[in-house]
Amino acid sequence: MTGTLPQGWPESRPLRILYVTARFLPERGGTEIHTNEVAMRMSQRGAHVTVLATSRDRGRPREEWDGAVRIRRVQAWPRQRDYFFAPELYAEIRAAMPDLLHCQGYHTFVAPVAMMAALRASIPYVVTLHSGGHSSRLRVQMRPLQARLLRPLLVRARALVAGSQFEADLFSRRLRISPDEFAIIPSGVNLPGVSVPLGPTDTGLVLSIGRLESYKGHDRIIEALPALRRLHPGVRLRIVGSGPYEPRLRTLAAELDVADAVDIAPLPSGSRRELAELLNRAAVVTALSRYESQGLAVQEAIGLGRPVVVNEGSALAELGVYPNVLTVSGLAGSDEVADAVSRLLHAPPGDAPAMQTWDDCVDALVELYGAAMSEETGLSARS
């Protein structure tokens, strides 16, 4: 990591980085995957890396190691909610005293505690937003207010990282700071150990990937399935994920008489290789979510050359620049969604486009860390 850190940094002493996140592996999601991939690569480049996460499972060890990455967990309450209030978090950060704290995500109680602890201990900190949608309309309506309440802490960060231009523009408006103050660093999308085929190995398989929440749009592809089956009788839908919306999705499939063509289940092992193999089999992948700050799973599908149908709202609209990607309106009816999927089922296979890799992501973060630690103030002094 030499050459990008602040001038005068001793090469003999590794940089000590503390990644703070509400959730971490084995829980699965974009933030958890991102934090793990970045932490492992930073460690391989010589940094001393600790991941500090919360846990609502009393059976998990307080400390473990994944290679050279140290993982610390503190208990969070309430156990059945996503507020992640963790009283020990503040003391853990003050005891660690890293050279740099990188907060992964902003939308739980973890973020303000981490930023406050870093600020009071004079630890430079960086925040990657990892914003997301929510099934609760009230929670969605509160998100702009939440960002404004956190503004005094967010603008004292040495850097704010967005995963897409959409996310940078959104938080520029919410925080009332210039969009130029955001570093746009997408996650890497390279999945392990699978070669890219010229075409799908299962021409009737349509995938919809993501946690089973109402805003994720799985219901929209189920609603399109009757029309799609009239065009392509052999089509089957695999919804990959778990979550509270599963009973409603199963009921909807039964009501539309397509339950025999719908399979809903997470990947049994949660394996990234297994996900890559499943994506490689698919004829079309759909991502009809009402909100995505980046859309890691669908970008991984694009990186493997899969045709994709995406909702035109949020960061998914930015993916329309890639070949064999169609966008549909958030107001599109089931026939229009079915038509888009049908068009891609007949599309000739295209070459997989070059996408950002995890090493590209870490290269950008190393440069960002060097610049951030060279600053003596946060964004508020520069905005």
Side-chain angles (χ1 to χ4, degrees), residues 6 30 39 50 55 95 100 141 149 157-158 163 210 227 269 282-283 297 316 326 340 344 353 366:
T50 299
S55 175
L100 178 75
Q141 292 172 341
L149 291 174
R158 299 291 178 88
S269 68
L316 295 175
L326 295 180
L344 289 180
V366 168

Side-chain angles (χ1 to χ4, degrees), residues 49-382:
V49 175
T50 299
V51 175
L52 176 59
T54 69
S55 175
R56 292 171 292 175
D57 180 0
R58 295 182 183 277
R60 292 212 62 82
R62 186 178 183 88
E63 179 171 310
E64 37 185 353
W65 291 79
D66 185 357
V69 175
R70 182 189 186 203
I71 302 165
R72 295 277 295 176
R73 289 186 174 86
V74 294
Q75 286 295 308
W77 289 271
R79 297 186 66 187
Q80 302 304 319
R81 300 291 182 179
D82 60 356
Y83 309 143
F84 296 97
F85 178 66
E88 297 176 87
L89 195 68
Y90 188 95
E92 284 279 337
I93 293 170
R94 294 296 297 264
M97 285 301 296
D99 299 311
L100 178 75
L101 183 148
H102 191 155
C103 188
Q104 300 283 352
Y106 85 101
H107 55 277
T108 72
F109 286 133
V110 167
V113 172
M115 289 187 285
M116 182 62 72
L119 190 62
R120 291 187 173 178
S122 299
I123 301 168
Y125 63 94
V126 170
V127 180
T128 296
L129 295 165
H130 291 299
S131 61
H134 203 281
S135 294
S136 166
R137 183 173 297 180
L138 177 62
R139 294 282 286 276
V140 171
Q141 292 172 341
M142 289 178 62
R143 288 284 165 84
L145 174 61
Q146 181 184 15
R148 287 196 292 271
L149 291 174
L150 288 177
R151 186 182 188 278
L153 292 170
L154 289 170
V155 298
R156 285 171 172 79
R158 299 291 178 88
L160 293 177
V161 181
S164 62
Q165 187 64 56
F166 163 82
E167 189 176 49
D169 292 342
L170 177 67
F171 280 85
S172 171
R173 295 191 298 271
R174 288 182 177 177
L175 298 174
R176 303 189 306 279
I177 61 177
S178 169
D180 295 336
E181 293 289 356
F182 293 84
I184 300 175
I185 304 178
S187 298
V189 298
N190 46 317
L191 283 161
V194 177
S195 60
V196 179
L198 294 177
T201 59
D202 188 337
T203 57
L205 179 62
V206 176
L207 295 182
S208 183
I209 302 173
R211 181 165 169 77
L212 307 186
E213 301 275 0
S214 60
Y215 78 92
K216 284 291 189 178
H218 300 301
D219 53 328
R220 295 182 67 197
I221 187 61
I222 292 177
E223 290 169 348
L225 201 52
L228 189 59
R229 292 180 84 189
R230 288 193 291 270
L231 298 169
H232 306 275
V235 162
R236 304 176 322 283
L237 172 63
R238 170 75 189 276
I239 298 176
V240 184
S242 61
Y245 205 52
E246 181 174 348
R248 173 57 191 149
L249 294 175
R250 293 191 180 279
T251 298
L252 179 62
E255 291 172 348
L256 296 175
D257 197 27
V258 293
D260 62 312
V262 178
D263 180 22
I264 304 174
L267 292 175
S269 68
S271 164
R272 302 279 289 152
R273 182 182 294 273
E274 192 172 354
L275 173 61
E277 292 171 349
L278 181 61
L279 286 171
N280 252 1
R281 286 173 45 207
V284 176
V285 178
T286 65
L288 302 175
S289 175
R290 294 197 299 271
Y291 187 96
E292 296 292 337
S293 62
Q294 180 177 347
L296 179 56
V298 70
Q299 291 198 40
E300 289 171 334
I302 293 169
L304 289 174
R306 299 299 86 214
V308 170
V309 177
V310 299
N311 194 46
E312 69 178 5
S314 69
L316 295 175
E318 297 176 19
L319 304 180
V321 299
Y322 292 108
N324 279 350
V325 176
L326 295 180
T327 61
V328 296
S329 165
L331 300 177
S334 57
D335 286 346
E336 188 175 342
V337 173
D339 179 66
V341 175
S342 177
R343 287 164 58 191
L344 289 180
L345 284 170
H346 289 302
D351 294 332
M355 307 286 284
Q356 166 136 316
T357 68
W358 284 111
D359 285 329
D360 294 333
C361 175
V362 171
D363 286 343
L365 285 174
V366 168
E367 184 174 351
L368 180 78
Y369 291 170
M373 294 183 67
S374 298
E375 299 283 350
E376 295 184 358
T377 58
L379 300 179
S380 57
R382 310 196 297 272

